[in-house]
Structures are given as structure tokens and as C-alpha cells.
Amino acid sequence: MTDVLLLGGTGWLSSRIAEHWLDAGARVTCAARGGRDAPAGARLVVADRDGADPYAALADREWDEIVDVSSSARHVASAVAALGLATRHWTYISSVSVYADDDRPGADESAAPAEPAEGDDDDYARQKSGAEAAVRHGMGRRAVIIRPGLIAGPGDPSDRFGYWVSRFALAAAGPVLVPRAADALVQVIDVDDLAAFAVALGRERWTGAVNAVGDPHPFASVIADAREAAGHTGTVVTAPDAWLTAHEVAHWAGPRSLPLWLPADMPGFMSRSNAAFRILGGRLRPLRTTLERTLADERVRGLDRPRRAGLTRADELALLRELP
């Protein structure tokens, strides 16, 4: 039986990867701080990666596969140092945010990463780059680095992708504000497609780096699909990018934002090449399916709940009243 260790395993993506490994018949251990349960069938080992010796209970055995999703270069480096010699294969979940530039559409895995982080600075790209460097240095040809783009689907804690289908459902027959975003693209991967891909590469002990991203879709078509999936019958009101910026509406994510909307100077961010992903057997379910899965989850969680990303309905209606 394959012995798999998830460094994490109780968060959104890592728990999905653990579940897919369990479905594949593996014996799965999750090492996490505690406070949340590991997936049914997995063993939970409480370990604080900021503690003095977080891997003491894990270093007395060999592992067929270790999966790490951390965004801390320091955490990843210490895990590799403590456990690297005792594992046959390491999967590190990085991000397409690791790349230094977002100005070239269709760029593949050969694009240069950001400078690795030094210390605990909060630059996400540099932390991921430093973590990748630690994995490459410590594991050599026993590791795969998977670089997902925007991850979508049920349970998404970021609230980004789910905003649109949720907002159209909440608005019902009312108006919805969208950015003009004339040439913008949206590139997502369903969380379960990503988890299945991570397991497949782990089972084959594939090595190297690969973007795990969906096909690019025009922003306007994603909005149209989200509206149709939600059954929205109201008006879609487009606002110029400059007007939204002047009214302190943020790009991409976070409070008072319009999620997935990007500045015009980032044409490469949502158009990375997924050719290697396809060649390696990566599968993508239809975007409409992910939208429907997401909407079902959003209804359970509450369409009008406080969100980590997007406009509140009150703020949206206030902006619509101000729009010329």
C-alpha cells in the first residue's frame, strides 16, 4: 500500500488531495496544526510548522509520497531537510503567481520565476519561488512542482470564482455590476481536477514543473455562463475600468473588489500555457459544470453571507446609482 503524507490535509485543496489519494487506495497521514478534522479514513498527526520540532512524529518512517502546499519558503525548506531523505517522491503545489512577469500570453514553464524570498516577507510570488528552490535543491529528480492558476469549485475559501454565479443568483431580477474588461480572460481549474492531477503525477513519480491551469475563456463569456447558470433575469450593467478604479473598486480579490477582473497590464496572468498539463493526462471538466457545482455550494453557504472577495450587495447598488 502506498504511504502518503500530506503536510496539511485539513485545508481546502490539501484535503481534496488527501481524499483523492484515499480513493486511490493509499494509506494517508495528514500533519496539521489541528482544529479541523482530517478527511475520513486519514490519520491526523498534530504538528505546528512554527514549533521547535514539527516533524518529530513523522521522521521515523519512509514515505512513498509527500505533498506540501505551503506558501512559506521557510516551512518548505525545513520539511525537505527533515523528511526529504525518507521519501521516494515529493509533490509541491506552487502557483502560476511564481512567475516574474505577467506580460506574455501563452507563456509556458520555461518562463523565469520571481526572485526567491529572503526571510518571512509577505510577497507571495517570492515565497513560492523560494519554496520551489528548496524542493529542487533538496529533492532533485524526486520531485514535481505543480503550478496551478485560479482554483475554483465547492468550498473555495477565497470567494473569488464563486462571486459571480452567487451574485447573479442573489440579484435574481435585479441589476448586476460588471467591469467592461473588453479583452480580459479567465483561466481556472476545478479543485477536483487539480487534486486528481496531483495524485496521478505522484503515483507515476513524475518529476519537473508543470502549469496546472484551465483553458483561457473570455471574461464576458464566463459572466454570461454564470448568469445563465444562476437564472438571472435582471440587467447586466457594465462600468468602465477607469470609473471603477476611481470609485475604489479593487481588481481580482479582497473586500470591495470585482473578482477575476485584472489590470490591463497583466495579459499573461490568465493565459498561461497548459500544453504540458494536457500531455501529462490532465483533464478539465467543462467550465459550466464547475459553475454549477460552485453555485450549489454557494447556496448552502448563503448567497448573502459576508465574503472575502467582492462587493456587498449594498455597495454594488450604491455604485449602480452613481454610474452615469
Side-chain angles (χ1 to χ4, degrees), residues 152-179:
D156 177 9
S158 78
D159 288 335
R160 290 172 294 186
F161 182 77
Y163 172 81
W164 291 107
V165 70
S166 175
R167 179 48 47 89
F168 281 120
L170 179 64
V176 171
L177 178 68
V178 304

Side-chain angles (χ1 to χ4, degrees), residues 92 125 135 172 280:
Y92 178 59
V135 171
L280 291 169

Side-chain angles (χ1 to χ4, degrees), residues 26 31 43 45 79 88 100 138 215 218 263 288 295 300 305 312 322:
R43 178 174 70 110
V45 174
R88 293 176 175 83
D215 297 324
R288 178 61 180 263
L295 177 58
V300 171
R305 63 185 166 83
T312 65
E322 291 186 48

Side-chain angles (χ1 to χ4, degrees), residues 37-225:
D37 293 335
R43 178 174 70 110
L44 176 63
V45 174
V46 176
D48 183 353
R49 298 180 77 166
D50 286 317
D53 192 2
Y55 310 109
L58 304 167
D60 61 347
R61 62 190 295 181
E62 292 187 351
W63 302 96
D64 296 303
E65 169 79 355
I66 291 180
V67 182
D68 195 358
V69 301
S70 175
S71 299
S72 164
R74 177 173 57 84
H75 285 173
V76 174
S78 64
V80 170
L83 303 171
L85 292 178
T87 184
R88 293 176 175 83
H89 185 263
W90 196 288
T91 295
Y92 178 59
I93 308 296
S94 185
S95 168
V96 295
S97 294
V98 77
Y99 292 114
D101 297 310
D102 294 309
D103 55 1
R104 184 164 63 90
D108 64 15
E109 293 81 0
S110 65
E115 283 294 317
E118 295 181 4
D120 289 329
D121 70 66
D122 59 0
D123 187 306
Y124 180 76
R126 296 187 65 209
Q127 287 291 334
K128 282 293 191 184
S129 180
E132 286 192 8
V135 171
R136 285 192 299 269
H137 176 75
M139 299 302 300
R141 296 186 61 82
R142 292 182 292 132
V144 62
I145 293 169
I146 299 176
R147 295 168 177 159
L150 178 67
I151 308 170
D156 177 9
S158 78
D159 288 335
R160 290 172 294 186
F161 182 77
Y163 172 81
W164 291 107
V165 70
S166 175
R167 179 48 47 89
F168 281 120
L170 179 64
V176 171
L177 178 68
V178 304
R180 186 158 292 161
D183 300 318
L185 296 172
V186 174
Q187 188 175 36
V188 305
I189 184 167
D190 190 288
V191 63
D192 284 306
D193 293 337
L194 174 57
F197 184 65
V199 170
L201 295 194
R203 292 179 73 175
E204 295 298 323
R205 297 183 188 170
W206 195 84
T207 64
V210 55
N211 296 334
V213 294
D215 297 324
H217 298 271
F219 183 90
S221 73
V222 175
I223 293 297
D225 284 348

Side-chain angles (χ1 to χ4, degrees), residues 261-286:
W261 171 48
L262 287 169
D265 62 355
M266 296 178 65
F269 184 67
M270 295 287 258
S271 62
R272 294 280 171 185
S273 171
N274 65 3
F277 172 84
R278 294 284 198 181
I279 290 169
L280 291 169
R283 296 183 178 181
L284 299 169
R285 68 195 67 206

